[in-house]
Amino acid sequence: MRLINQTKNNLLAQDPLIAKTFLARIKGLLGRKEFLSGQAIILKPCNSVHTFFMRFPIDILFISKDYRVVKTIHKLIPNRATFIYWRSKMVIELPSGTLNLTNTRVGDLIQLLD
């Protein structure tokens, strides 16, 4: 499975982890020592996140029901929380720097390919 920015034709992640259950979403990236380039976690459903007790900054995409980016957050450092983005139906967490590297912006169409 691959996570693609279809608008820019860029690979965001190879084989992202999808967290659909309440417990999987709560755990998210907690306990990880690193988050490597090409990795991602998709939290579904989700409209806000936190980085409490995490060890590294992350990039965040808030995604609408039609898979459009409604908000980007670059390099959210540990021990912070985001606002609630009501239009967001899922969140994609990526290694810090991924959004700049892929030029991912609000309005881009995101696709999950098998």
Side-chain angles (χ1 to χ4, degrees):
M1 190 174 333
R2 295 177 300 142
L3 186 63
I4 304 288
N5 178 334
Q6 185 175 343
T7 303
K8 304 283 176 31
N9 196 29
N10 286 329
L11 177 68
L12 296 173
Q14 186 69 38
D15 202 25
L17 174 65
I18 301 174
K20 292 182 184 178
T21 68
F22 176 75
L23 289 176
R25 289 190 310 271
I26 291 294
K27 182 175 185 320
L29 294 169
L30 293 177
R32 287 194 184 197
K33 294 182 180 178
E34 59 186 358
F35 199 25
L36 302 175
S37 177
Q39 294 182 324
I41 184 167
I42 300 171
L43 307 169
K44 187 176 180 181
C46 188
N47 60 13
S48 71
V49 296
H50 70 84
T51 58
F52 296 115
F53 311 109
M54 289 179 54
R55 302 175 190 209
F56 43 80
I58 58 174
D59 286 353
I60 302 170
L61 293 173
F62 290 88
I63 308 295
S64 67
K65 66 180 176 182
D66 62 350
Y67 294 88
R68 294 269 176 200
V69 176
V70 296
K71 176 69 178 171
T72 62
I73 298 178
H74 297 255
K75 298 181 182 179
L76 184 65
I77 62 174
N79 301 310
R80 300 290 188 269
T82 69
F83 291 109
I84 296 172
Y85 296 94
W86 296 108
R87 288 182 46 221
S88 177
K89 301 303 176 196
M90 76 177 86
V91 169
I92 301 171
E93 296 179 341
L94 299 156
S96 183
T98 303
L99 298 182
N100 281 335
L101 185 65
T102 60
N103 197 30
T104 301
R105 303 280 183 253
V106 170
D108 286 357
L109 181 62
I110 305 301
Q111 188 174 28
L112 190 60
L113 300 173
D114 287 330

